[in-house]
Amino acid sequence: MSKIRLALVGLGKIARDQHLPAIAADDRFELVAIVSRNADLDGVAHFTTLADLLASDVAVDAVSLCTPPQPRHALAHLALAAGKHVMLEKPPGATLSEVEDLRLTAAARGLTLQTTWHSRYAQGVAPARTWLADKIIKAVRIDWREDVRVWHPGQTWIWEAGGLGVFDPGINALSIATAILPRPFFLTGAVLHVPENCQSPIQAELDFVDAAGAPVRAAFDFLQTGPQSWDIAVETDAGVLKLSHGGAKLFIDGELLHEGPDAEYAGLYDAFARLVAGAASDVDVSPLRHVADAFLLGRRVVAPAFIE
């Protein structure tokens, strides 16, 4: 099979930290172009717009969209219209209807569309799903607390409408929960703390209930200082399962059972290559749907202005 000629659209922190190393490590891909208004990469063709790339003589099979979510629908639509397979960084779009439109467009053209939930590829997630499959879930607690100044420096788009605010990391927790819990869960209430100078929340508390009535509570915080926490605890009839470090470590009743190196984006690109080879798509919006529910049902509380 020939290599997938890939263009990376957006060359910010996530692209440099995660996408570029994953692409370089997978010999099924060849990075042939970078699209960015502000940055380039030595030895790789550079374009300031995706339209410029698609109008050039650089041959491209697929694009990986690493832009903020707000412009992603238009860019993905442009790529699909040009016959390119598309990988969408998370969240896959600013709205559910945008992603549905892209799903239908990709299907009509026989192209691959992948919504990427990188946290599902953390080392502890798959074994956690297997362990929980036959357990009775009694309660779930999600604590996702990090310092926005450390993880999103200068990224003002995250505070705009469609930027999701604290749900940008929080959606990673929801992507894990929707993957490991054996029953669906539904939002019953939420409180969203929105800074007076922002359009998206800086903190959120969510209450869900699963299909059997078990409570699922989540706390997302962008103002955490000191130790950061990305933890999910599931109380069951057979003990307490805990995923920590964003899913990298799995504990049962305090005993470490699984851990491993960070291979989340390697897993994403492996999945993308297999989808392209099989002429298939993977479009899962369940984590984004929970966020949309929170914005729909959540009670907004005005928080102090955020100053980076």
Side-chain angles (χ1 to χ4, degrees):
M1 179 181 172
S2 59
K3 288 191 175 185
I4 299 169
R5 296 166 296 189
L6 183 73
L8 194 61
V9 182
L11 196 58
K13 180 174 170 45
I14 195 66
R16 291 186 180 275
D17 291 352
Q18 299 292 348
H19 287 261
L20 289 179
I23 294 165
D26 194 324
D27 61 11
R28 290 168 293 183
F29 292 95
E30 178 186 1
L31 183 62
V32 298
I34 296 291
V35 177
S36 173
R37 292 176 297 176
N38 306 310
D40 58 14
L41 194 65
D42 288 345
V44 180
H46 174 254
F47 300 86
T48 56
T49 70
L50 179 57
D52 288 343
L53 166 61
L54 296 175
S56 75
D57 58 1
V58 175
V60 174
D61 302 308
V63 300
S64 179
L65 296 180
C66 303
T67 66
Q70 293 94 332
R72 203 169 291 154
H73 174 257
L75 293 169
H77 222 290
L78 188 62
L80 292 170
K84 314 305 179 186
H85 307 291
V86 174
M87 172 191 280
L88 300 169
E89 233 314 340
K90 65 85 188 169
T95 68
L96 290 165
S97 57
E98 286 184 354
V99 183
E100 176 63 8
D101 176 63
L102 296 177
R103 184 188 69 81
L104 293 173
T105 301
R109 294 179 176 273
L111 296 168
T112 292
L113 180 68
Q114 182 194 32
T115 54
T116 62
W117 303 108
H118 64 84
S119 291
R120 289 179 174 176
Y121 292 88
Q123 295 289 336
V125 172
R129 178 173 57 248
T130 299
W131 191 85
L132 289 170
D134 61 352
K135 305 299 187 296
I136 297 173
I137 308 300
K138 295 182 177 180
V140 181
R141 176 70 188 185
I142 300 170
D143 286 290
W144 228 252
R145 304 175 187 273
E146 63 182 57
D147 188 342
V148 66
R149 296 176 177 90
V150 172
W151 299 99
H152 293 275
Q155 296 179 2
T156 57
W157 58 265
I158 206 166
W159 302 115
E160 299 169 0
L164 298 191
V166 74
F167 286 105
D168 182 80
I171 204 170
N172 293 328
L174 296 173
S175 75
I176 294 175
T178 51
I180 67 173
L181 295 178
R183 294 184 297 266
F185 53 95
F186 313 96
L187 189 75
T188 58
V191 179
L192 311 182
H193 303 264
V194 182
E196 59 186 15
N197 60 338
C198 300
Q199 294 178 278
S200 55
I202 199 165
Q203 296 168 312
E205 296 88 39
L206 312 177
D207 284 293
F208 304 87
V209 63
D210 81 356
V216 179
R217 303 204 69 187
F220 302 149
D221 189 351
F222 244 165
L223 295 175
Q224 178 78 357
T225 57
Q228 313 283 281
S229 60
W230 302 281
D231 303 326
I232 300 176
V234 185
E235 182 184 353
T236 79
D237 61 328
V240 177
L241 176 147
K242 182 178 180 181
L243 284 170
S244 70
H245 296 75
K249 295 184 178 183
L250 169 62
F251 299 83
I252 304 295
D253 288 337
E255 179 183 356
L256 179 63
L257 294 187
H258 292 277
E259 69 173 322
D262 179 4
E264 294 178 13
Y265 279 80
L268 287 181
Y269 276 94
D270 172 65
F272 189 51
R274 289 186 283 105
L275 288 169
V276 171
S281 287
D282 181 8
V283 181
D284 178 10
V285 296
S286 55
L288 184 59
R289 184 179 294 116
H290 285 305
V291 174
D293 287 350
F295 277 96
L296 182 65
L297 292 181
R299 177 170 61 90
R300 290 180 175 241
V301 175
V302 177
F306 174 74
I307 301 174
E308 188 165 1

